[in-house]
Amino acid sequence: MTQSFTLTLSCPDRPGIVHGVSGAILTHGGNILDSRQFDDRETGRFFLRVVFEAEGDGAGLEAAMRDLAAQFAMDWRLTPSERPVRTLILVSKFDHCLGYLLYKQRMGELPMEIVAIAGNHPKDAMTVSQIGDIPFHHLPITRDTKARQEARIKALVEETGAELVILARYMQILSDDLAAFLSGRCINIHHSFLPSFKGAKPYHQAHARGVKMIGATAHYVTADLDEGPIIHQAVEAVSHEDTPEDLVRKGREIESRVLGRAVGWHLTHRVFLNGARTVVFGN
């Protein structure tokens, strides 16, 4: 049976990479449907994403790719394109991003299997109504219980096999230990166009400064607070007529859109970590 696969890789740039990969795909009966590549001249690193169709389970190509990986020092991954990514969502009281993700997932626009939702507030504090039968875990946290609460998050990731964790306006700062545990597989939405106003009530700070633009930033989580590699950003113009409440409302919409787009790109294997930055083959 023919199925679609996505091959992603990065390695030091040198001649022959594309030739080797496309030849391996051809040899194993594959037909390339889409291919994107980027050569970072600053770092000398090469990035490639290839979508192709082939019969079988791809085992033959995997063996060929292992040989190529050794030859070119590749970091690579071969994945069935239609396989949903097992995802854990963390949320606090602000659940607009959660609602947006649930809607997009149920419309078939985000290929993820939501294995659980966890919040530091109980389920009945949520206003969103689409949670349904998705397992919800109330994980309350205080300064004294932070380590135990994060240990439960780790256990939940391992028990569910979550491959991606989304901080959907989860209003807690992750410890360095948890950030390291989730490295490269945890996406956060920040309620500003980074770098920008930090701390409490960012939209009120922006309003007090008379800003003419607000935004949101989706990035991978690292131990450096709000400094992780950026996946996607968007902005919207505002004016002197907008109240702080207007900025909050517009901000909710931007946050949801930006997070949804970033998550979608991650789920379809379009995002590559490149040091402190990302390479994104957006669609």
Side-chain angles (χ1 to χ4, degrees), residues 22 35 39 92 107 124 181 197 201-202 221 223 249 255 257 262:
S22 59
S35 180
D39 176 12
S92 293
M107 289 294 290
D124 58 17
F181 175 75
F197 304 103
K201 297 186 176 180
V221 171
R249 174 179 53 79
E255 291 161 12
R257 286 201 317 270

Side-chain angles (χ1 to χ4, degrees), residues 94 169 171 191-192 196-215 238-239 242-252 255:
F94 299 107
R169 289 303 304 272
M171 305 302 289
H191 45 219
S192 288
S196 187
F197 304 103
K198 296 184 179 181
K201 297 186 176 180
Y203 295 116
H204 291 73
Q205 293 183 56
H207 182 263
R209 292 285 298 274
V211 302
K212 297 299 183 282
M213 189 171 289
I214 59 172
V238 296
S239 77
D242 287 303
T243 65
E245 290 71 27
D246 291 329
L247 300 189
V248 170
R249 174 179 53 79
K250 292 181 178 182
R252 284 197 297 261
E255 291 161 12

Side-chain angles (χ1 to χ4, degrees), residues 258-273:
V258 169
L259 180 60
R261 180 65 62 88
V263 167
W265 285 337
H266 179 97
L267 296 173
T268 51
H269 317 292
R270 295 176 179 273
V271 186
F272 297 73
L273 285 169

Side-chain angles (χ1 to χ4, degrees), residues 107-121:
M107 289 294 290
E109 297 178 14
L110 291 177
M112 62 180 174
E113 177 188 355
I114 303 175
V115 294
I117 299 169
N120 57 315
H121 295 280

Side-chain angles (χ1 to χ4, degrees), residues 10-12 14 45 68-75:
S10 66
C11 61
R14 53 178 280 197
R45 197 151 185 87
L68 279 174
Q71 179 183 351
F72 290 99
M74 292 176 178
D75 295 323

Side-chain angles (χ1 to χ4, degrees), residues 43-113:
T43 65
R45 197 151 185 87
F46 179 79
F47 301 85
L48 178 66
R49 177 183 184 270
V50 181
V51 180
F52 64 94
E53 287 182 338
E55 293 189 358
D57 59 3
L61 180 58
E62 281 203 52
M65 281 303 303
R66 282 193 288 271
D67 293 337
L68 279 174
Q71 179 183 351
F72 290 99
M74 292 176 178
D75 295 323
W76 65 283
R77 184 177 183 184
L78 179 65
T79 310
S81 300
E82 304 303 318
R83 184 180 72 81
V85 176
R86 296 176 66 83
T87 302
L88 167 67
I89 302 177
L90 302 184
V91 65
S92 293
K93 284 185 177 180
F94 299 107
D95 58 3
H96 51 283
C97 288
L98 171 63
Y100 186 86
L101 294 173
L102 290 172
Y103 174 77
K104 287 289 188 179
Q105 188 262 348
R106 288 175 179 171
M107 289 294 290
E109 297 178 14
L110 291 177
M112 62 180 174
E113 177 188 355

